[in-house]
Amino acid sequence: MTHKTVTFAHPFHLRGHSDLFPAGSYVVDTTEELIEGVSITAYRRVSTDLHLKYKHNGMMVDRILSIKPVDLDIALTRDADPDRPEHR
C-alpha cells in the first residue's frame, strides 16, 4: 500500500460523485498486489481510496471514496488550470 497527499487549491468535483469537495489536502491510499508467475516484479492496482475529512454544516465529515486514479488526475489538472471556468 502506498500513501500520498494531494492538495486542491479550489473546491473540486470527482467524476462519478455529485458532491463539491472543499479545497484542502487529502490522503490517497493505493493498494497493489504482486502479480505471480511473471519473470519480473510487477504489481497490479487493486484499489485507490481518497480520504475526505472536512467540515460540513458545522460537523466533521470523514469519508473514504473509492476512486479511479485517472479521475483524481483530471481533478488535479483542472484545479491547477488558471483558465478553468470559474476564472473566466
Side-chain angles (χ1 to χ4, degrees):
M1 180 178 283
T2 59
H3 306 278
K4 72 177 181 179
T5 301
V6 297
T7 301
F8 287 91
H10 308 92
F12 64 100
H13 286 282
L14 287 170
R15 187 169 47 183
H17 300 277
S18 60
D19 297 341
L20 176 65
F21 302 108
S25 295
Y26 297 88
V27 173
V28 177
D29 291 333
T30 301
T31 303
E32 298 174 320
E33 66 183 8
L34 181 64
I35 299 173
E36 306 269 343
V38 294
S39 60
I40 60 169
T41 302
Y43 294 88
R44 170 184 24 244
R45 184 186 64 81
V46 175
S47 65
T48 301
D49 298 319
L50 179 70
H51 294 258
L52 300 165
K53 292 183 182 189
Y54 57 92
K55 266 193 176 175
H56 180 70
N57 294 332
M59 297 181 65
M60 279 306 290
V61 175
D62 189 1
R63 295 171 56 192
I64 299 175
L65 295 179
S66 256
I67 61 169
K68 294 179 183 176
V70 67
D71 294 339
L72 179 61
D73 291 342
I74 290 168
L76 287 165
T77 299
R78 284 184 183 150
D79 186 64
D81 182 0
D83 294 326
R84 67 185 178 286
E86 45 289 2
H87 280 174
R88 290 185 190 151

